Each structure stands twice: as structure tokens, then as C-alpha cells.
């Protein structure tokens, strides 16, 4: 269980993390999602005691990272930025880490096998591909058999086989009752791996929810595609209801904020012919884009959703 | 445990590993591994050994071959001990640069984050780096300066200007050379830790040890001579010289001052290492 409470981190003028609070439960994979620069890596660094928060606190199983006597046995972490000396072999990198905790050499060999680096472990890390570097980072994270695993963008640079491997690995770790927390800027990746989602934008919390709920919420706001020879008349009829209408093609409308049923009724009432009426599916990627796009660009607008409200506020601040 | 049973899955193996605890001795062990597993370290140490052991012998051999051409004054001024230990001038560059790189290299590659995640209290990492590097430097440089001394003296016998380890100041200079290089190494680890950047750290070290004396030497001599003994370079090298240069502190007093400078730098490095984000 990772607990982040009202954490703020400023680097000079820049606020990287802004009063962020969330919890990462044990036993499931929790995704940490946000566009690049949203503060994901900084938050992870704060949890791991690499950076000190300007205010607030982060704990893992009730303790600050710095208080652990055997941190590698409690928490395994892989940061997005490489944290490995390029002049050293992967084996010696892991060995030195193991030695700080008195872990045996056999354990180093085990994790090397586990991540499939057996053939290159004795070579200098400087010659590793991105994917090999990621595997070595994961080996280091698993070295101490930790109860909590924190991975920053773990699938970056992995090939499809590697991506599938890490998904399976993370799910297994979670099923063993561990806390698994991984960040990504790729929604589609999260959809396949995570059950729970913590979404951030500009250092602030946008959503703390399950993947299913996240999609559900986004789908409620999904557009409906309407094809009509009387598109202009239909747009006018619907406009009365205060909805967002976009048209990218002559005779085709994308209507947001109204269900397909209501649009059909409105068309019927106005005697307007419809050729197509399709509620569009919202993919997780779209939902994510929509939310974080708001975080970046939208300005204040009246909505009932408190998450959206804070998003709007963010845009206003920007 | 279950790992050896019917289902030797990776998960079971993962579960079977022992739990450790971070201790200073273990961190020392890790830093020992880190030091020797880098090719650049091995080359730098080899360079320091060759410079320290070889340069004095080389100079001694050149001097002996030209002995008959030297003026009487040159022969009278000949310093058998200091000639033999002349390699310290080159060795200090290798040791200083390596001292900086030991820690700045962790910052430039990001390794420092792995180090700090394994040892979140941080200071044991700094103590271990200093401890391992100081020990390795002292042992290698003591052997090298002994080899330089004995080798050079063997060559100097050709014109009977050699001295033994029992000669006045000889043993102090030989051991002092190793001590100076060791403390210099510690100073440079601290500089590297403070500056956190290889180029910057090496510049700071070179500026302090090599450039500063040059600047002081162009000051008006009354000012320069009163400052000079207290420069890190003058204070530190006093212990390495059998025949002291002009305007230097006594050997052990100079060395004590050099240790003092180093202690202050190490304290500053420790203070900042605990506080700063990595």
C-alpha cells in the first residue's frame, strides 16, 4: 500500500506536483497515467525518497522510504531515467546492489535468468539496447523480492514479446498480494495491465478510479454521429438544448451531450430525415486524451463533474 | 522450500530469497565491487601506479647518465630522495581525477539513484566510497613509492649518491607520499560529491591544486610568500619532500592542515548529500 498525502513539489518557480493525494492498494496493478510532464516521474521519485517533497508526505506500508532498514526487500523500483552506470556489466550492477543488503550471488543469477538477460549479463551496460536496459532495471527492482513494485514507463523500448512478458509478470506479482504501481503515458497499455488508475495532469489529480469506471465516465460523454440531408436544420433544432455539435463533413454531425435516443426524438419532432444515428464507442485512449486534453487546453466551463471542474480550473491557471 | 518441489515456477523462487539489512560493512563491500568493476577505474589506478613507481626511476636513470656533464653545483644540489619520489607530481593527477569520477560518474549516468534507493540513509554510501578509495589508494601508492624509492636508489649507486630508507626524512617522505595521495583522493571524492559533475569536479580539483599556486606566485612576493604555505598543494606536499621547498610549513603541520581542508570539504559534501535531491 502506497499512500501519498497532499504532496507538493516545487523546483524553483515550477510546480511539478501540486497537492497530490492518492492511495495505491495491494493485490492489484495500479496504473499511474498522465501525459509527459504531468509529474508522474517526480511523484515516484518523491515516494522513493530521491527527492524531498516541498510539503506533504509519501509512505509505503506506513513508512517513509528513508526509514527502511532493508529497502530493496520492501520496495523494488525502476525509474524511467536510466539509473545504471554504463561502464559496468549488468551482473556487477546487480551484485553491488545485492551486496548492500547481504543478498547472495545466487539471487543475482536468479533475477538475471528471470528477466532473460543470461547471455549479456557480463557485458557492459553501455552497449545494451533500450529493451535490455529495461529488463536490467526490472531485474534490479525484483532483486530483493519486494512487497511493493514501482515501475516508471516499464514498457518503453520493449518489443511486443517483452511487453507481453512484463504484463504477465506484473499481474502475477499483484496476484501474489504485492502492491504494483506503474506509470505510463500510453492509455492502451494501462487498459491491458492495470485494474486501478490514478490519472494526473500538470501535477494534479484528475481521476482516481478503476479502469472500468474511467471508461464508463468517458463513454457518457461520447459523441453520437448523425448523418442527415437536413443537417443544418437538425443542428439548429439540437442547438436549443445547449449541446456541442461539430461537423467535419457535409451532412454529418458529431453531437456531444445528448443520447442517440434524444437526438432521434428531436429529429422526429422537427420532421427531419436521418440516414444514420450512431453512438460512437470511446476507447480508453480517447477517454484519456479527452481528459488530459482538458487539462492542457480547456478553459472554465460549467460542468457537473467535480473532476472536470478541477480540470477546468487548471486550464484557467495555465 | 517449495522451490524444489513439483512446481519450480519463477514465483516460488522469488519467494524463497533471504531478507537482508543494510549495514556499513555491506555498503563497503558493494562499493568495493563497484570500484573494481569499472574499466576506467582500473586504468586510472594503473596509471597512478606506473607514474608513481616509474617516473622517479626514469628521472634517476636520466640523471645518472648525464652525471659527468653536471656542474658541481648541480651535483651538490642533487636530492636523491625527492628525485626518486618525483612521480607524485603525475600520480596526484590520476588519483585526483579518479576520486572525482568515482562519485561524479554516478551522477552523470544516474547510478546515484540506484545507490541511494538501496541505501536511502545515503551517508553510508559516501563513507564507503571514501573508505574503499582511501584504502586502495594508500596500499597501491605506498607500494609504488617504496618501489620508486628503492628502484631509484639502486640506480643512484652508479655514482654513489644513493641513500637508504634509514636516511633522514627518507621513510617519512616515502610514507608521506602515500598519505598525501590518499588524503588527496578523499578530498577529490568530496569535491566530486559536492559538484556532482565530472568536468566541473575535475576543474575544481585542478584549479585548487595546480592553478591556485600559479596565481599566488604572480602576486607581490610579500603577499604570495605569506599565503603560499597555506595553499592545499603546498600544505599537502610538504610531507612528501625530504628537502622542503622555500615557504612551506613543516611536514606534519602541513599535512595536518591538508587533512583539515579535506575534513571540511567532506563535511560539506556529507551535509549536501543528505539534503539534496538526486
Amino acid at each position: 500500500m502506497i499512500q501519498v498525502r497532499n504532496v507538493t513539489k516545487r523546483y524553483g518557480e515550477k510546480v511539478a506536483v501540486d497537492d497530490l493525494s492518492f492511495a495505491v492498494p495491494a493485490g492489484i496493478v495500479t496504473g499511474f497515467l498522465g501525459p509527459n510532464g504531468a509529474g508522474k516521474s517526480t511523484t515516484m521519485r518523491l515516494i522513493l525518497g530521491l527527492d524531498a517533497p516541498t510539503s506533504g508526505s509519501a509512505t509505503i506500508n506506513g513508512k517513509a522510504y528513508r526509514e527502511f532498514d532493508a529497502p530493496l526487500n520492501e520496495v523494488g523500483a525502476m525509474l524511467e531515467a536510466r539509473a545504471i552506470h554504463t561502464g559496468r556489466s549488468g551482473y556487477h550492477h546487480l551484485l553491488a546492489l545485492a551486496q548492500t543488503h547481504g543478498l547472495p550471488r545466487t539471487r543475482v543469477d536468479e533475477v538475471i535468468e528471470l528477466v532473460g538477460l543470461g547471455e549479456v549479463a557480463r557485458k557492459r551496460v553501455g552497449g545494451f539496447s533500450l529493451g535490455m536496459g529495461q529488463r536490467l532495471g526490472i531485474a534490479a527492482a525484483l532483486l530483493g523480492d519486494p512487497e511493493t513494485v514501482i515501475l516508471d514507463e516499464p514498457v518503453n523500448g520493449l518489443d511486443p514479446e517483452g511487453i507481453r512478458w512484463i504484463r504477465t509478470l506484473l499481474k502475477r506479482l499483484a496476484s501474489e498480494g504485492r502492491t504494483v504501481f506503474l506509470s505510463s503515458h500510453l492509455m492502451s497499455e494501462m487498459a491491458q495491465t492495470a485494474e486501478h488508475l490514478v490519472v494526473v495532469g500538470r501535477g494534479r489529480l484528475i481521476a482516481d478510479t478503476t479502469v472500468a469506471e474511467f471508461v464508463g465516465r468517458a463513454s457518457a460523454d461520447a459523441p453520437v454521429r448523425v448523418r442527415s440531408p437536413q443537417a443544418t436544420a437538425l443542428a439548429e433544432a439540437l442547438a436549443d438544448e445547449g449541446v456541442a455539435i461539430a461537423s467535419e463533413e457535409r451532412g454529418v454531425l458529431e453531437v456531444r451531450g445528448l443520447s442517440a435516443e434524444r437526438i432521434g426524438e428531436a429529429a422526429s419532432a422537427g420532421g427531419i430525415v436521418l440516414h444514420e444515428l450512431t453512438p460512437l464507442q470511446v476507447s480508453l485512449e480517447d477517454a484519456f486524451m479527452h481528459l488530459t486534453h482538458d487539462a492542457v487546453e480547456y478553459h472554465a466551463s460549467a460542468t457537473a463533474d467535480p473532476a472536470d471542474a478541477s480540470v477546468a480550473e487548471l486550464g484557467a491557471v495555465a | 522450500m517449495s522451490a524444489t518441489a513439483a512446481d519450480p515456477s519463477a514465483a516460488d523462487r522469488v519467494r524463497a530469497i533471504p531478507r537482508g539489512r543494510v549495514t556499513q560493512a555491506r555498503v563497503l563491500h558493494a562499493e568495493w565491487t563497484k570500484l573494481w568493476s569499472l574499466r576506467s577505474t582500473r586504468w586510472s589506478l594503473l596509471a597512478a601506479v606506473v607514474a608513481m613507481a616509474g617516473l622517479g626511476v626514469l628521472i634517476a636513470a636520466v640523471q645518472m647518465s648525464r652525471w659527468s656533464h653536471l656542474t658541481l653545483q648541480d651535483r651538490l644540489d642533487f636530492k636523491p630522495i625527492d628525485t626518486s619520489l618525483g612521480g607524485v607530481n603525475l600520480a596526484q593527477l590520476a588519483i585526483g581525477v579518479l576520486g572525482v569520477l568515482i562519485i561524479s560518474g554516478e551522477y552523470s549516468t544516474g547510478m546515484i539513484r540506484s545507490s541511494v534507493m538501496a541505501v536511502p540513509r545515503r551517508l553510508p554510501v559516501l563513507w564507503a566510497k571514501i573508505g574503499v578509495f582511501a584504502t586502495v589508494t594508500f596500499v597501491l601508492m605506498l607500494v609504488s613509492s617504496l618501489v620508486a624509492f628503492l628502484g631509484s636508489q639502486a640506480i643512484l649507486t652508479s655514482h654513489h649518491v644513493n641513500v637508504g630508507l634509514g636516511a633522514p626524512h627518507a621513510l617519512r617522505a616515502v610514507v608521506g607520499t602515500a598519505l598525501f595521495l590518499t588524503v588527496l583522493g578523499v578530498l577529490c571524492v568530496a569535491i566530486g560529491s559536492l559538484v556532482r559533475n565530472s568536468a566541473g569536479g575535475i576543474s575544481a580539483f585542478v584549479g585548487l591544486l595546480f592553478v591556485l599556486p600559479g596565481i599566488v606566485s604572480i602576486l607581490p612576493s610579500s603577499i604570495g610568500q605569506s599565503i603560499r604555505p597555506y595553499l592545499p598543494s603546498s600544505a599537502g606536499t610538504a610531507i612528501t619532500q625530504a628537502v622542503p621547498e622555500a615557504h612551506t610549513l613543516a611536514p606534519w603541520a602541513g599535512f595536518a592542515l591538508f587533512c583539515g581542508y579535506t575534513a571540511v570539504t567532506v563535511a560539506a559534501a556529507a551535509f549536501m548529500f543528505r539534503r539534496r535531491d538526486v
Side-chain angles (χ1 to χ4, degrees):
Chain A
M1 169 96 159
I2 302 169
Q3 197 103 41
V4 172
R5 289 185 204 86
N6 306 105
V7 165
T8 296
K9 178 65 178 177
R10 284 195 193 87
Y11 296 104
E13 292 280 286
K14 190 175 173 291
V15 181
V17 179
D18 190 359
D19 195 30
L20 189 60
S21 297
F22 62 87
V24 180
I28 58 172
V29 177
T30 299
F32 193 26
L33 195 63
N36 288 328
K40 302 186 299 291
S41 294
T42 304
T43 304
M44 288 187 159
R45 293 161 52 77
L46 293 166
I47 293 169
L48 295 165
L50 293 172
D51 288 11
T54 308
S55 63
S57 69
T59 55
I60 300 164
N61 297 330
K63 267 182 148 181
Y65 189 88
R66 284 196 186 201
E67 292 167 21
F68 287 123
D69 287 327
L72 298 186
N73 289 131
E74 306 281 349
V75 186
M78 183 184 73
L79 299 169
E80 182 184 17
R82 284 251 191 118
I84 299 168
H85 200 301
T86 42
R88 201 170 276 127
S89 73
Y91 174 80
H92 282 105
H93 172 71
L94 295 172
L95 180 64
L97 291 179
Q99 283 167 340
T100 61
H101 284 54
L103 303 177
R105 273 166 195 269
T106 51
R107 179 59 190 165
V108 173
D109 296 329
E110 272 172 23
V111 289
I112 286 172
E113 281 308 312
L114 185 69
V115 301
L117 282 180
E119 284 169 29
V120 294
R122 297 276 177 172
K123 298 211 170 97
R124 292 168 76 229
V125 175
F128 276 24
S129 69
L130 191 55
M132 282 149 74
Q134 294 290 86
R135 283 171 185 262
L136 182 58
I138 290 162
L142 298 179
L143 194 59
D145 182 32
E147 278 306 306
T148 305
V149 178
I150 298 176
L151 306 174
D152 198 1
E153 302 275 358
V155 301
N156 263 9
L158 289 181
D159 52 21
E161 187 262 327
I163 292 176
R164 206 175 59 180
W165 168 76
I166 195 160
R167 268 185 212 146
T168 315
L169 176 75
L170 293 176
K171 283 179 180 166
R172 199 189 69 213
L173 291 171
S175 73
E176 290 166 357
R178 301 174 206 249
T179 304
V180 180
F181 188 43
L182 71 153
S183 76
S184 180
H185 63 281
L186 298 174
M187 187 66 221
S188 51
E189 182 48 40
M190 286 300 177
Q192 306 204 43
T193 317
E195 274 181 63
H196 196 86
L197 278 184
V198 174
V199 187
V200 290
R202 299 216 164 176
R204 302 183 91 178
L205 189 70
I206 292 178
D208 182 354
T209 176
T210 63
V211 172
E213 241 176 60
F214 185 70
V215 178
R217 189 199 293 173
S219 298
D221 198 29
V224 178
R225 187 167 64 217
V226 194
R227 190 185 301 272
S228 167
Q230 296 154 274
T232 318
L234 178 63
E236 276 164 17
L238 296 176
D240 294 341
E241 315 236 4
V243 296
I245 301 172
S247 179
E248 285 179 6
E249 193 185 326
R250 198 178 161 78
V252 180
L253 303 178
E254 278 204 4
V255 184
R256 272 180 203 277
L258 269 185
S259 66
E261 290 85 349
R262 297 284 306 280
I263 295 169
E265 286 161 10
S268 169
I272 295 166
V273 176
L274 297 185
H275 290 170
E276 181 189 348
L277 184 59
T278 315
L280 296 177
Q281 287 296 316
V282 166
S283 71
L284 216 42
E285 202 75 50
D286 290 336
F288 172 56
M289 289 296 285
H290 182 56
L291 260 181
T292 54
H293 181 67
D294 286 353
V296 177
E297 285 178 14
Y298 278 16
H299 290 267
S301 63
T303 69
D305 191 321
D308 280 357
S310 68
V311 163
E313 208 181 301
L314 257 183
V317 169
Chain B
M1 291 196 213
S2 61
T4 53
D7 177 21
S9 70
D12 284 333
R13 272 194 321 218
V14 165
R15 279 295 184 198
I17 80 121
R19 293 178 62 84
R21 193 171 165 276
V22 180
T23 64
Q24 183 67 65
R26 285 171 170 168
V27 180
L28 274 164
H29 190 192
E31 288 300 331
W32 175 265
T33 301
K34 278 193 201 168
L35 183 75
W36 291 111
S37 56
L38 282 180
R39 205 153 42 176
S40 55
T41 317
R42 298 194 295 265
W43 282 109
S44 299
L45 288 173
L46 182 66
V49 166
V50 169
M52 187 64 241
L55 199 59
V57 175
L58 189 68
I59 295 169
V62 171
Q63 293 275 44
M64 286 308 95
S65 70
R66 298 182 62 251
W67 190 256
S68 53
H69 301 292
L70 293 183
T71 63
L72 184 63
Q73 191 59 48
D74 280 344
R75 295 186 194 185
L76 286 173
D77 285 347
F78 184 70
K79 301 180 230 175
I81 300 170
D82 294 327
T83 298
S84 69
L85 298 176
V88 69
N89 292 299
L90 195 51
Q92 64 178 342
L93 192 60
I95 294 294
V97 168
L98 182 56
V100 170
L101 288 180
I102 274 178
I103 198 143
S104 67
E106 293 218 3
Y107 281 98
S108 65
T109 56
M111 179 67 204
I112 192 72
R113 290 189 277 269
S114 290
S115 301
V116 165
M117 282 196 286
V119 188
R121 287 180 226 272
R122 298 192 181 186
L123 286 188
V125 174
L126 184 62
W127 305 147
K129 280 190 186 299
I130 288 174
V132 166
F133 188 51
T135 306
V136 168
T137 302
F138 183 72
V139 170
L140 289 179
M141 291 303 106
L142 185 62
V143 171
S144 302
S145 62
L146 256 178
V147 167
F149 180 83
L150 298 175
S152 300
Q153 301 311 323
I155 290 169
L156 298 181
T157 52
S158 62
H159 287 94
H160 310 291
V161 288
N162 59 304
V163 297
L165 260 183
H169 311 306
L171 188 59
R172 191 260 298 151
V174 168
V175 176
T177 296
L179 283 175
F180 163 66
L181 290 170
T182 302
V183 177
L184 174 73
V186 174
L187 175 66
C188 287
V189 173
I191 288 173
S193 179
L194 275 173
V195 178
R196 308 198 290 181
N197 170 290
S198 299
I202 291 170
S203 300
F205 149 64
V206 169
L208 200 62
L209 270 289
F210 300 97
V211 178
L212 201 55
I215 292 172
V216 169
S217 73
I218 57 171
L219 292 175
S221 62
S222 59
I223 301 171
Q225 283 170 18
S226 55
I227 297 176
R228 205 180 116 83
Y230 305 101
L231 293 178
S233 50
S234 310
T237 51
I239 198 175
T240 68
Q241 293 157 357
V243 182
E245 286 173 20
H247 313 297
T248 51
L249 296 174
W252 291 104
F255 184 65
L257 181 62
F258 189 56
C259 288
Y261 289 141
T262 302
V264 170
T265 314
V266 168
F271 179 77
M272 296 306 284
F273 188 35
R274 266 189 73 91
R275 286 174 60 96
R276 285 200 281 207
D277 295 342
V278 297

